[in-house]
Amino acid sequence: MAAIISVEGLGKRYAGGVSALEDVCLEIEKGEILALLGPNGAGKTTLISIICGLVTPSAGRVTVGGHDVVTDYREARRLIGLVPQEVALEPFEKVINSVRFSRGVFGRPGDPARIEAVLRQLSLWDKRDAQIMTLSGGMKRRVLIAKALAHDPDILFLDEPTAGVDVELRREMWQMVRELKAAGVTILLTTHYIEEAEAMADRVGVITGGRVLLVEEKNALMRRMGKREMRLELQEPVGELPAALAPYGLECEEDGQVLVYSYDTAAARTGITRLLTDLADTGLVLNDVQTRQSSLEEIFVDLLRENAEA
Amino acid sequence: MNWLAILAIYRFEMARTKRTIAQSVISPVISTSLYFVVFGAAIGSRIDEVEGIGYGSFIVPGLIMLTVMTQSIANASFGIYFPKFLGTIYELLSAPVSFLEIVIGYVGAAATKSLMIGLIILATAGFFVPLQIAHPVAMLAFLVLTCVSFSLFGFILGIWAGNFEQLQLVPLLVVTPLVFLGGSFYSISMLPPVWQTITLFNPVVYLISGFRWSFFGIGDVGVAVSLGAILAFLTLCMGVVWWIFRTGWRLRS
């Protein structure tokens, strides 16, 4: 597939001397969903802001649909719809007027049928005459998306779209993103929820400290990142691990009160059933069982370590 | 030129005016009427004619200018500062619009609003005092030029302001005194000679004088000088706006 966005050697140093991006190279293919993962302050928003024209780059070049974002900004920006991280809306404005404004400011002629379609797609049609300030947080996020889609962009940028959004709306958004992809829209999504990338992305990029560490096909990355932990809390602390449990590589915590088992969700067999059977055979009694996914922060630490060692 | 974008910005800003009609239009009309009552009727009746014109009529051009200048600045500065404050400016900055188009949209809307207010005040004045307009075309030209140049100035202030206090600072501390001391309510020939000279350093004097000339055919300074002054101010503001456009000052990091 051809790259619709091409980022070459992009760097950004802010006036205060803070370096937000260093030598970033990235290609986003037409029609794909690329999830950009990274902790807060990694440079995700700066990268998106440069592509959209909100921030001027210090070095490098970005093209969108073959158009340079600085010298040929009109053509480049026409292709992009941006949903920002912060909910920034005119509180006193009506929903429909705000969406009409977005279409107009992107140079598209008025099209009531299209505006209606966008509002219906986002379940906002019934609220079209409501003042934005009267809407719930979730509804406001929908308005932001409607505004970004009002000019029928080929590319949609979603900057942390589900931060602070309830589960139901999050699922709805994911569904909407899939529908957009099916309609041929290229999507760049930034997030720090691994689950979100897992649910939607074709490819995943990891960015930290202003550098892109890797861009990989999602399934391949998930196999590497998808480690989970199971914490087994015992009724009585165990002094020494029974030999039967040795193959599981358990770690003892809290003076033997807790055993931690790390496993790979993507593997054909997680080993959980066998472990629990063997555990019962040893006569150890469980008080509680918890599982947790290793957090993205931890994965980043691992990635950074790998990166430093390489 | 992205005319559809300019139109979108213009309409959006004019819709705000419509929504806040009481604050936008009615309040300047009421305050101007109060000026007429206080200066025209109460005090004016004790003042002789100024240069052959009844005091009530004499202050009409000054009052219109006073309101138009302050309203232009307030409208344009608020118009561009509000999206900055709310964060909605992201949309303008990521849209396929040039800075010039943004300026035309915002300044055009602010100037239209002040022009409307100016004309409404003119009509209101007609209820209180006899009106004569010696040079209607020149009057309209002065009014439009003032609306546009002060809206541009307001736009610059709105971009510069980092908070609401700064947004009020220049209009309150600089513009209002200059406008009040610019001959809105008096002819500078009524001042002692020293103050007459000092007043000539106030740029607003030239604007009010030119505007008054278009009504009565007389002014404190020559009409060519007045026209030159307003054009110079307009050029200066356009220069600053151009510089902001070149550098992205306070807009793009």
Coordinates of all heavy atoms in Angstrom, one line a residue, chain A residues 12 14 52-56 73-74 77 84 88-91 93 101-102 104-107 109 144 147, chain B residues 2 4-5 8-9 12 16 19 82 86-88 90-98 101 251-253:
Chain A
K12 N 11.6 18.6 16.6 CA 11.0 19.8 17.2 C 11.6 20.1 18.5 O 11.7 19.3 19.4 CB 9.5 19.5 17.4 CG 8.8 20.7 18.0 CD 8.8 22.0 17.2 CE 8.4 23.2 17.9 NZ 8.5 24.4 17.1
Y14 N 11.3 23.2 21.2 CA 10.5 24.4 21.6 C 11.4 25.5 22.0 O 12.6 25.3 22.3 CB 9.5 24.0 22.7 CG 8.3 23.2 22.2 CD1 8.2 21.8 22.4 CD2 7.3 23.8 21.4 CE1 7.2 21.1 21.9 CE2 6.3 23.1 20.9 CZ 6.2 21.7 21.2 OH 5.1 21.0 20.7
C52 N -0.6 18.5 11.4 CA -1.9 19.3 11.2 C -1.6 20.8 11.0 O -2.5 21.5 10.7 CB -2.8 19.1 12.3 SG -3.5 17.5 12.4
G53 N -0.4 21.2 11.3 CA -0.1 22.6 11.1 C -0.2 23.5 12.4 O -0.1 24.7 12.3
L54 N -0.4 22.9 13.5 CA -0.5 23.6 14.8 C 0.8 24.0 15.3 O 1.0 25.0 16.1 CB -1.3 22.8 15.8 CG -2.7 22.4 15.5 CD1 -3.2 21.4 16.5 CD2 -3.6 23.6 15.4
V55 N 1.8 23.2 15.0 CA 3.2 23.5 15.5 C 4.1 23.4 14.3 O 3.9 22.6 13.4 CB 3.6 22.4 16.5 CG1 5.1 22.4 16.9 CG2 2.7 22.4 17.8
T56 N 5.1 24.3 14.3 CA 6.0 24.3 13.1 C 7.2 23.5 13.5 O 7.8 23.5 14.6 CB 6.5 25.8 12.8 OG1 6.8 26.4 14.1 CG2 5.5 26.6 12.1
Y73 N 0.4 23.7 2.4 CA -0.5 23.4 3.6 C -1.9 23.3 3.3 O -2.6 22.5 3.9 CB -0.2 24.4 4.7 CG -0.7 25.8 4.4 CD1 -2.0 26.2 4.8 CD2 0.1 26.7 3.8 CE1 -2.5 27.4 4.5 CE2 -0.4 28.0 3.5 CZ -1.7 28.3 3.9 OH -2.2 29.6 3.6
R74 N -2.4 24.0 2.3 CA -3.9 24.0 2.0 C -4.3 22.6 1.6 O -5.2 22.0 2.1 CB -4.2 25.0 0.9 CG -4.3 26.4 1.4 CD -4.9 27.2 0.3 NE -4.6 28.6 0.5 CZ -5.4 29.5 1.1 NH1 -6.5 29.1 1.6 NH2 -5.0 30.8 1.2
R77 N -3.8 20.0 4.5 CA -4.7 20.1 5.6 C -6.2 19.7 5.2 O -6.9 19.2 6.0 CB -4.8 21.5 6.2 CG -3.5 21.8 6.9 CD -3.6 23.2 7.5 NE -2.3 23.7 7.8 CZ -2.1 25.0 8.2 NH1 -3.1 25.8 8.2 NH2 -0.9 25.4 8.5
P84 N -9.0 16.7 18.7 CA -7.9 17.0 19.7 C -8.1 16.2 21.0 O -9.2 15.7 21.3 CB -8.0 18.5 19.9 CG -9.4 18.8 19.6 CD -9.9 17.8 18.6
A88 N -12.3 21.0 23.4 CA -12.3 22.5 23.2 C -13.4 22.8 22.3 O -13.4 22.6 21.1 CB -10.9 22.9 22.6
L89 N -14.5 23.4 22.8 CA -15.7 23.7 22.0 C -16.3 25.1 22.5 O -16.1 25.4 23.7 CB -16.7 22.7 22.2 CG -16.4 21.3 21.6 CD1 -17.3 20.2 22.2 CD2 -16.6 21.3 20.1
E90 N -17.0 25.7 21.6 CA -17.6 27.0 22.0 C -18.9 26.6 22.9 O -19.8 26.0 22.4 CB -18.1 27.7 20.7 CG -17.0 28.4 19.9 CD -17.0 29.9 20.1 OE1 -17.8 30.4 20.9 OE2 -16.2 30.5 19.5
P91 N -18.9 27.0 24.1 CA -19.9 26.5 25.0 C -21.3 27.0 24.7 O -22.3 26.3 24.9 CB -19.5 27.0 26.4 CG -18.5 28.1 26.1 CD -17.9 27.8 24.8
E93 N -22.5 27.8 21.7 CA -22.9 27.5 20.3 C -23.8 26.3 20.2 O -23.7 25.4 21.0 CB -21.6 27.3 19.4 CG -21.8 27.5 18.0 CD -22.6 28.7 17.6 OE1 -22.0 29.8 17.7 OE2 -23.8 28.6 17.3
F101 N -19.8 25.2 10.9 CA -18.6 26.0 10.9 C -17.3 25.3 10.4 O -16.6 25.7 9.6 CB -18.4 26.7 12.2 CG -17.1 27.4 12.4 CD1 -16.9 28.7 11.8 CD2 -16.0 26.9 13.1 CE1 -15.7 29.4 12.0 CE2 -14.8 27.5 13.2 CZ -14.7 28.8 12.6
S102 N -17.2 24.1 11.0 CA -16.0 23.2 10.7 C -16.0 22.9 9.2 O -14.9 22.9 8.6 CB -16.1 21.9 11.5 OG -16.1 22.2 12.8
G104 N -17.3 24.6 6.8 CA -17.1 25.8 6.0 C -15.6 26.3 6.1 O -15.0 26.6 5.1
V105 N -15.0 26.2 7.3 CA -13.7 26.7 7.5 C -12.7 25.8 6.7 O -11.5 26.2 6.4 CB -13.4 26.8 9.0 CG1 -12.8 25.6 9.6 CG2 -12.5 28.0 9.2
F106 N -13.1 24.6 6.4 CA -12.2 23.7 5.6 C -12.5 23.9 4.1 O -12.1 23.1 3.3 CB -12.4 22.2 6.0 CG -11.4 21.8 7.1 CD1 -11.7 22.2 8.4 CD2 -10.3 21.2 6.8 CE1 -10.8 21.9 9.4 CE2 -9.4 20.9 7.8 CZ -9.6 21.2 9.1
G107 N -13.3 24.9 3.8 CA -13.5 25.3 2.4 C -14.5 24.5 1.7 O -14.5 24.5 0.4
P109 N -18.4 23.6 0.6 CA -19.7 24.3 0.5 C -20.7 23.6 1.5 O -20.6 22.5 1.8 CB -20.1 24.1 -0.9 CG -19.3 23.0 -1.5 CD -18.1 22.9 -0.7
L144 N -16.8 16.8 18.9 CA -15.4 17.0 18.3 C -15.2 16.1 17.1 O -14.6 16.5 16.1 CB -14.4 16.7 19.4 CG -14.2 17.7 20.5 CD1 -13.1 17.1 21.5 CD2 -13.7 19.0 20.0
K147 N -17.2 17.4 14.2 CA -16.5 18.5 13.5 C -15.4 18.1 12.7 O -15.2 18.6 11.6 CB -16.0 19.5 14.6 CG -17.1 20.3 15.3 CD -16.7 21.0 16.5 CE -15.8 22.2 16.3 NZ -16.4 23.3 15.6
Chain B
N2 N -9.6 31.2 0.1 CA -10.6 30.3 0.6 C -11.8 31.1 1.1 O -12.0 31.3 2.2 CB -10.0 29.4 1.7 CG -10.9 28.3 2.1 OD1 -12.1 28.2 1.8 ND2 -10.4 27.4 2.9
L4 N -15.0 30.4 1.1 CA -16.0 29.7 2.0 C -15.5 29.7 3.4 O -16.4 29.8 4.3 CB -16.1 28.3 1.5 CG -16.9 28.1 0.2 CD1 -16.7 26.7 -0.4 CD2 -18.3 28.4 0.4
A5 N -14.2 29.6 3.6 CA -13.7 29.7 5.0 C -13.9 31.1 5.6 O -14.4 31.2 6.8 CB -12.2 29.3 5.1
A8 N -17.4 31.4 6.5 CA -17.8 30.6 7.7 C -17.4 31.3 8.9 O -18.2 31.4 9.9 CB -17.1 29.2 7.6
I9 N -16.2 31.9 9.0 CA -15.7 32.6 10.1 C -16.6 33.9 10.4 O -17.1 34.1 11.5 CB -14.2 33.1 10.0 CG1 -13.3 31.9 9.9 CG2 -13.8 34.0 11.1 CD1 -11.9 32.2 9.5
F12 N -20.1 32.9 11.6 CA -20.0 32.4 13.0 C -19.9 33.6 14.0 O -20.6 33.6 15.0 CB -18.8 31.5 13.1 CG -18.8 30.6 14.3 CD1 -19.6 29.5 14.3 CD2 -17.9 30.9 15.4 CE1 -19.6 28.6 15.4 CE2 -17.9 30.0 16.5 CZ -18.8 28.9 16.5
R16 N -22.7 35.2 16.8 CA -22.4 35.5 18.2 C -23.0 36.9 18.5 O -23.6 37.1 19.5 CB -20.9 35.5 18.4 CG -20.6 35.6 19.9 CD -19.3 36.3 20.2 NE -18.1 35.8 19.4 CZ -17.5 34.7 19.7 NH1 -17.8 34.0 20.8 NH2 -16.4 34.3 19.0
R19 N -26.7 36.5 18.9 CA -27.0 35.8 20.1 C -26.9 36.7 21.3 O -27.6 36.6 22.3 CB -26.0 34.6 20.3 CG -26.6 33.4 20.9 CD -25.7 32.2 20.8 NE -24.3 32.5 21.0 CZ -23.3 32.1 20.3 NH1 -23.6 31.4 19.2 NH2 -22.0 32.3 20.5
F82 N -11.1 34.7 22.4 CA -12.0 33.7 23.0 C -11.6 32.3 22.5 O -11.5 31.3 23.3 CB -13.5 34.0 22.6 CG -14.5 33.4 23.6 CD1 -14.3 33.4 24.9 CD2 -15.6 32.8 23.0 CE1 -15.2 32.8 25.8 CE2 -16.6 32.2 23.9 CZ -16.4 32.2 25.2
L86 N -10.5 29.3 24.8 CA -11.2 28.0 24.9 C -10.4 26.8 24.3 O -10.7 25.7 24.6 CB -12.5 28.1 24.1 CG -13.6 29.0 24.6 CD1 -14.7 29.1 23.6 CD2 -14.1 28.4 25.9
G87 N -9.4 27.2 23.5 CA -8.6 26.1 22.8 C -9.2 25.8 21.5 O -8.7 24.9 20.7
T88 N -10.4 26.4 21.1 CA -11.0 26.0 19.8 C -10.2 26.6 18.6 O -10.5 26.2 17.5 CB -12.4 26.6 19.7 OG1 -12.4 28.0 20.0 CG2 -13.3 25.9 20.7
Y90 N -7.5 25.6 17.7 CA -6.8 24.5 17.0 C -7.5 24.2 15.6 O -6.8 23.9 14.7 CB -6.9 23.2 17.9 CG -8.2 22.4 17.7 CD1 -8.4 21.5 16.7 CD2 -9.3 22.7 18.5 CE1 -9.6 20.8 16.5 CE2 -10.5 22.0 18.4 CZ -10.6 21.1 17.4 OH -11.8 20.4 17.2
E91 N -8.8 24.5 15.6 CA -9.5 24.2 14.3 C -9.1 25.1 13.2 O -8.9 24.7 12.1 CB -11.0 24.2 14.6 CG -11.8 23.7 13.5 CD -13.2 23.5 13.8 OE1 -13.8 24.3 14.6 OE2 -13.8 22.5 13.3
L92 N -9.0 26.4 13.6 CA -8.6 27.4 12.6 C -7.2 27.2 12.1 O -6.8 27.3 10.9 CB -8.6 28.8 13.2 CG -9.9 29.5 13.3 CD1 -9.7 30.9 14.0 CD2 -10.5 29.8 11.9
L93 N -6.3 26.8 13.1 CA -4.9 26.7 12.8 C -4.6 25.4 12.0 O -3.6 25.3 11.3 CB -4.0 26.7 14.0 CG -4.0 28.0 14.8 CD1 -3.2 27.8 16.1 CD2 -3.6 29.1 14.0
S94 N -5.5 24.4 12.1 CA -5.3 23.2 11.3 C -6.2 23.2 10.0 O -6.2 22.2 9.3 CB -5.7 22.0 12.2 OG -7.0 22.0 12.5
A95 N -6.9 24.2 9.8 CA -7.7 24.3 8.6 C -6.9 24.9 7.4 O -5.9 25.5 7.6 CB -8.9 25.2 8.9
P96 N -7.4 24.6 6.2 CA -6.7 25.1 5.0 C -7.0 26.5 4.8 O -7.5 26.9 3.7 CB -7.2 24.2 3.9 CG -8.5 23.7 4.3 CD -8.5 23.7 5.8
V97 N -6.7 27.4 5.8 CA -6.9 28.8 5.6 C -5.6 29.5 5.9 O -4.8 29.1 6.7 CB -8.0 29.4 6.6 CG1 -9.3 28.9 6.2 CG2 -7.7 29.0 8.0
S98 N -5.4 30.6 5.2 CA -4.2 31.5 5.4 C -4.5 32.4 6.6 O -5.7 32.6 6.9 CB -3.8 32.2 4.2 OG -4.8 33.2 3.9
E101 N -6.9 35.2 5.5 CA -8.3 34.8 5.5 C -8.9 34.8 6.9 O -10.0 35.3 7.1 CB -8.5 33.4 4.9 CG -8.2 33.4 3.4 CD -7.7 32.1 2.8 OE1 -7.6 31.1 3.6 OE2 -7.4 32.1 1.6
L251 N 0.7 32.3 18.2 CA -0.3 31.4 17.6 C 0.2 30.0 17.4 O -0.3 29.0 17.9 CB -0.8 31.9 16.3 CG -1.8 33.1 16.3 CD1 -2.1 33.6 14.9 CD2 -3.1 32.7 17.0
R252 N 1.4 29.9 16.8 CA 2.0 28.6 16.5 C 3.3 28.5 17.3 O 4.1 29.5 17.2 CB 2.3 28.4 15.0 CG 1.1 28.2 14.2 CD 1.4 27.7 12.8 NE 0.2 27.2 12.2 CZ -0.6 27.9 11.5 NH1 -0.4 29.2 11.3 NH2 -1.7 27.4 10.9
S253 N 3.5 27.4 18.0 CA 4.8 27.3 18.7 C 5.8 26.6 17.8 O 5.5 26.0 16.9 CB 4.6 26.4 20.0 OG 3.8 25.3 19.7

